[in-house]
Amino acid sequence: MDKLLARTKGDRWIWLIVIMLSIISMMAVYSSTGTLAYQKGTGAESYLIKHMAMIFGGIALMYISHKLDYRYYSGISKVLMVITIPLLLYTLLFGSHVNDASRWVAIPGTGLTFQTSDLAKLALITYLARTLSRKQENIKDVKQSFIPIMGSVCVVFILIALANLSTALMLFGVSVLLLIMGRISVKQISVVCLAGVVLLAGVVLLGPRRATYRSRINAFMHPELANPDKSFQADHAKIAIATGGVFGKGPGNSTERNYLPQSYSDFIYATIIEEYGLLGGLSVMAIYLFLLYRCVKIVTKAPKAFGALLAAGLSFSLTIQAFANMAIAVGLGPVSGVPLPLVSMGGTSILFTSVAFGIILSVSRHIDENEQQAKVEQGENTANERRSKKVVVGEILEVA
């Protein structure tokens, strides 16, 4: 154990946060998959074992990602963007359809699928961090800086939004935050936002899922007039939260998991509140807030612009997604397919989330190594000054 701890670098609090979220995830998934297991004629233990395998696989990927120098991700980002855009287009045309949405691509020979938007988030954030850090000298140049940045943001946004509008909106928001941090002018940011609004209107009014988006918005804005089938998940999520009380019903005692179709993924936060009460829900929220706090500290200490932008983009993406999921579960937003990072049962989404954590820890590790090196150099300089003083004092005594 001591050897393993010695090999893990970076912010220890983030490692602890990952462990805490993993434990919460295993408990919540095991509890909420009982009905699904019954329908499939199997035990909930089988889902728990698969979920644990994904969690341990994610931790392994996080360990590998944090051991790599974060500066390597600058070069990888270009490759990721070249892969991501055609993959998103392929997903729209030939991806697996679930709930009238084409978001997944099957991995040949494994029986697994992965959501290409998870890869797109990593690709776009790393690419923006690289581009913004390398073009600081001519950041306001339209041809060299603004058009490539705006083009990458808008292309990824529209390709994701056609199948997954909520994820596209969150990623667009993170991108705008990175543009602000990257010292893009207010005028150029306004142009990007205007382009985003135009694309959003096109997706909502003309996109292939326009009927779904409109019905969800209407169900949220006018729940008393909504079709019961459209508000079914939101209604039972509210029942779960209301019956949870302050202390909850206890682990494994949820009843609404029998009605919520996505109690183990999109609405797992409602299950947590039902079983662990208001205190459990606030505890999960506090963990994500503390994660954001630790990441902000990393951003402020990062010596290079790329490291700061990379850590900021990934941490904003994780925390915005977490609070979006929690807001939807408690009825503060329309229903969407946004999982709770590192808690929801989501297969490969856990792996991509773990890689994001690993990259943040890689930036933190680099900061710690620089601080340690600075302390060593300071100690050596102090020792040299003391030796010099001793030599000078000895020479003065000899002369005397």
Side-chain angles (χ1 to χ4, degrees):
M1 180 62 73
D2 293 337
K3 291 182 179 179
L4 181 62
L5 291 174
R7 291 179 180 177
T8 56
K9 305 296 183 179
D11 194 310
R12 298 292 183 183
W13 286 107
I14 294 181
W15 281 104
L16 180 60
I17 287 170
V18 170
I19 293 172
M20 292 173 64
L21 290 176
S22 299
I23 293 172
I24 293 170
S25 177
M26 287 185 285
M27 294 173 64
V29 167
Y30 180 62
S31 174
S32 58
T33 51
T35 302
L36 178 64
Y38 177 79
Q39 293 173 351
K40 299 291 184 179
T42 184
E45 292 79 9
S46 62
Y47 288 97
L48 177 62
I49 292 171
K50 292 179 182 178
H51 186 61
M52 289 177 64
M54 283 294 177
I55 287 178
F56 288 125
I59 292 175
L61 283 176
M62 184 169 62
Y63 177 80
I64 295 171
S65 301
H66 106 286
K67 293 294 285 184
L68 291 174
D69 191 317
Y70 77 91
R71 288 169 290 190
Y72 287 129
Y73 295 106
S74 176
I76 295 174
S77 65
K78 295 181 66 176
V79 179
L80 288 178
M81 284 297 292
V82 171
I83 295 173
T84 295
I85 293 177
L87 192 58
L88 287 172
L89 186 59
Y90 174 85
T91 305
L92 283 174
L93 299 176
F94 308 106
S96 301
H97 287 260
V98 180
N99 295 330
D100 298 325
S102 180
R103 304 177 184 175
W104 293 266
V105 171
I107 303 176
T110 64
L112 299 175
T113 59
F114 78 95
Q115 197 166 337
T116 50
S117 60
D118 292 323
L119 175 62
K121 284 188 286 187
L122 281 175
L124 182 60
I125 290 172
T126 53
Y127 178 77
L128 284 179
R130 176 186 187 274
T131 306
L132 289 170
S133 61
R134 291 198 170 194
K135 297 184 179 294
Q136 282 297 301
E137 294 183 358
N138 55 354
I139 196 65
K140 296 182 180 181
D141 188 280
V142 175
K143 291 184 179 180
Q144 294 186 14
S145 301
F146 179 64
I147 291 179
I149 291 171
M150 180 180 176
S152 60
V153 172
C154 291
V155 169
V156 172
F157 173 77
I158 192 65
L159 289 176
I160 296 177
L162 290 171
N164 192 348
L165 182 58
S166 55
T167 298
L169 286 173
M170 287 186 290
L171 184 55
F172 186 83
V174 172
S175 301
V176 171
L177 289 174
L178 285 179
L179 296 183
I180 294 172
M181 293 182 63
R183 299 192 304 167
I184 295 290
S185 68
V186 175
K187 182 180 179 180
Q188 291 176 338
I189 292 175
S190 300
V191 173
V192 174
C193 292
L194 180 61
V197 171
V198 173
L199 293 175
L200 174 61
V203 170
V204 173
L205 298 176
L206 304 174
R209 301 194 70 207
R210 57 187 181 274
T212 301
Y213 296 147
R214 291 175 186 173
S215 64
R216 288 180 175 179
I217 294 172
N218 289 332
F220 173 70
M221 298 297 294
H222 306 286
E224 71 282 354
L225 302 176
N227 187 326
D229 293 337
K230 299 298 182 180
S231 61
F232 182 82
Q233 292 189 89
D235 292 341
H236 282 281
K238 293 174 183 177
I239 294 172
I241 292 169
T243 56
V246 178
F247 301 103
K249 298 177 179 178
N253 293 325
S254 169
T255 55
E256 291 305 312
R257 64 185 175 183
N258 300 321
Y259 303 99
L260 276 169
Q262 302 294 329
S263 61
Y264 46 83
S265 57
D266 299 348
F267 285 92
I268 198 168
Y269 188 64
T271 304
I272 291 172
I273 295 179
E274 184 181 9
E275 293 189 349
Y276 300 96
L278 177 64
L279 294 179
L282 290 176
S283 298
V284 173
M285 186 185 299
I287 290 173
Y288 284 108
L289 283 173
F290 188 60
L291 168 65
L292 180 61
Y293 167 73
R294 297 305 305 179
C295 291
V296 168
K297 290 197 69 173
I298 293 172
V299 172
T300 56
K301 290 183 178 180
K304 301 292 184 179
F306 175 68
L309 292 169
L310 187 60
L314 293 175
S315 60
F316 289 155
S317 176
L318 291 170
T319 51
I320 289 174
Q321 179 178 329
F323 280 94
N325 175 277
M326 291 185 282
I328 292 167
V330 300
L332 295 179
V335 174
S336 64
V338 179
L340 191 59
L342 219 61
V343 175
S344 295
M345 186 177 76
T348 51
S349 66
I350 293 178
L351 303 182
F352 285 108
T353 301
S354 299
V355 171
F357 272 106
I359 296 174
I360 294 171
L361 286 167
S362 176
V363 178
S364 176
R365 179 177 66 86
H366 183 78
I367 294 170
D368 292 343
E369 290 175 352
N370 284 347
E371 290 179 349
Q372 292 175 1
Q373 184 177 358
K375 288 180 181 179
V376 171
E377 292 177 353
Q378 184 178 2
E380 290 177 353
N381 292 335
T382 303
N384 291 333
E385 289 178 0
R386 289 177 179 174
R387 293 193 195 100
S388 299
K389 288 180 180 179
K390 288 182 179 180
V391 171
V392 170
V393 170
E395 291 177 350
I396 291 174
L397 291 175
E398 288 179 2
V399 172

